[in-house]
Amino acid sequence: ISYNSINADRIYILGERGYDIDTIKEILKSSGKDPFTGQQIDRQILNDLNEPKLLDLSHQSITNEILQNYKFPQNLITLYLDFNQISSLDGVHFPNTLQTLNIYNNRMSSIPNNLPSNLTFLGLRGNQITNLNDAIFHQRIIIIVLDNNQISSLNGIHFPNNLQILHIDKNH
């Protein structure tokens, strides 16, 4: 599976016509020009189409097994995995460039221990996390979102020194 084969849940609008992202990529790559204005497109924009920095895989019924075999873009910075069927990230290989990871409203029961060291935002809202006893947070994380889980205690948890925001409301 690659990011090109995931169904887009949005339509991107160029001019007055709507196209899915794959069609837009083909139009831009084949001509190097905006199909509506005729203006030349910056080469960096064309390169970024092949190597996205943001990937939204929300609402795709993704499971642990799919993620374990998924090849993420190497320069990925932001990843949305919201509203899927993910219960664990064991065996998932994230690129080291990843800084923002949203895993809202899945089936996670613990904090993943294989997070990239460059991660600054970790969003785990609306999962089934009950405790943080084995949690390992890298020092670069500045925002952690854990609201709407089943956490009953923060005793003995070592949060990163750089942590600026901790959302922990609506837990037990």
Side-chain angles (χ1 to χ4, degrees), residues 32-52:
K33 295 183 178 184
D34 183 315
F36 303 102
T37 66
Q39 293 181 349
Q40 191 69 31
I41 296 176
D42 185 319
R43 176 64 61 202
Q44 185 59 45
I45 292 173
L46 295 176
N47 290 340
D48 287 348
L49 288 173
N50 292 324
E51 194 63 36

Side-chain angles (χ1 to χ4, degrees), residues 35 89 121 127:
L89 296 179
F121 179 96
N127 280 279

Side-chain angles (χ1 to χ4, degrees), residues 10-11 50 55 63 88 110 122 124 129 131 164-165 169:
R10 295 186 185 89
I11 297 295
N50 292 324
L55 186 57
T63 62
S88 171
S110 63
L122 176 61
L124 289 163
I129 298 170
N131 70 65
Q164 296 175 12
I165 299 172
D169 58 321

Side-chain angles (χ1 to χ4, degrees), residues 28-83:
L28 296 176
K29 286 194 289 187
S30 65
S31 70
K33 295 183 178 184
D34 183 315
F36 303 102
T37 66
Q39 293 181 349
Q40 191 69 31
I41 296 176
D42 185 319
R43 176 64 61 202
Q44 185 59 45
I45 292 173
L46 295 176
N47 290 340
D48 287 348
L49 288 173
N50 292 324
E51 194 63 36
K53 306 267 189 288
L54 182 148
L55 186 57
D56 187 346
L57 299 178
S58 299
H59 300 278
Q60 298 292 332
S61 300
I62 293 173
T63 62
N64 308 5
E65 294 77 22
I66 291 172
L67 278 182
Q68 289 170 352
N69 296 310
Y70 193 83
K71 184 175 181 340
F72 291 101
Q74 289 303 305
N75 294 319
L76 189 64
I77 294 173
T78 302
L79 177 60
Y80 297 107
L81 294 169
D82 306 334
F83 296 95

